[in-house]
């Protein structure tokens, strides 16, 4: 369990890290948090191997909430990543600055940039 809460179990991503640490698995040449973690957890939930949990939960100062599942965050970040690469012409090595307050879209653009490999 995680911090004494039985619902929050250690993910299989942690066990994958442990197997790399012990030398049982090789370190991947490239790691992308969006595809290697978020998409993996989305697949695990779709397969019914773990209960559906929010990947992103934002609460404003006024109490407004935004919750995205792993599947929703993956879908939305792919849309933004496609817009950045296809419409805006973002290429590997380009620098991106996101000037927004810490609203859900700030996080979404950052995950999309990770997804594009920037």
């Amino acid at each position: 369990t995680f911090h004494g809460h039985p619902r929050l179990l250690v993910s299989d991503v942690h066990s994958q890290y442990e197997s790399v640490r012990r030398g049982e698995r090789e370190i991947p040449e490239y790691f992308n948090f969006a595809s290697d973690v978020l998409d993996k957890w989305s697949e695990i939930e779709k397969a019914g191997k773990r209960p559906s949990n929010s990947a992103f939960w934002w609460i404003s100062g006024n109490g407004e909430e935004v919750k995205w599942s792993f599947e929703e965050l993956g879908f939305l970040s792919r849309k933004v990543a496609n817009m950045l690469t296809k419409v805006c012409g973002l290429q590997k090595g380009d620098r991106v600055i996101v000037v927004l307050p810490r609203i859900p879209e700030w996080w979404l653009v950052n995950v999309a940039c990770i997804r594009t490999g920037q």
Side-chain angles (χ1 to χ4, degrees):
T1 63
F2 185 73
H3 293 289
H5 297 282
R7 284 189 40 207
L8 301 174
L9 300 176
V10 176
S11 73
D12 71 325
V13 173
H14 175 73
S15 62
Q16 290 174 16
Y17 166 77
E18 283 299 312
S19 63
V20 168
R21 189 179 65 77
R22 289 190 305 264
E24 297 166 0
R25 279 181 91 170
E26 291 192 28
I27 298 173
E29 185 175 352
Y30 299 102
F31 173 79
N32 185 296
F33 179 78
S35 58
D36 294 333
V37 176
L38 295 178
D39 292 350
K40 172 87 171 163
W41 286 352
S42 177
E43 291 170 14
I44 291 169
E45 286 184 359
K46 281 183 196 175
K49 295 179 181 175
R50 73 182 292 220
S52 181
N53 289 314
S54 296
F56 180 85
W57 187 0
W58 177 84
I59 303 173
S60 74
N62 302 344
E64 174 190 359
E65 292 186 14
V66 173
K67 284 186 182 182
W68 291 327
S69 67
F70 286 97
E71 186 174 2
E72 290 169 321
L73 183 55
F75 174 77
L76 292 171
S77 65
R78 279 189 289 280
K79 282 181 73 169
V80 174
N82 287 337
M83 184 266 312
L84 290 171
T85 56
K86 293 179 181 171
V87 177
C88 298
L90 183 70
Q91 297 177 354
K92 192 163 188 75
D94 289 350
R95 291 182 170 87
V96 176
I97 185 168
V98 181
V99 182
L100 288 170
R102 296 279 171 101
I103 57 175
E105 291 77 11
W106 185 90
W107 296 97
L108 181 60
V109 171
N110 279 281
V111 171
C113 286
I114 292 169
R115 187 174 290 285
T116 64
Q118 304 307 312

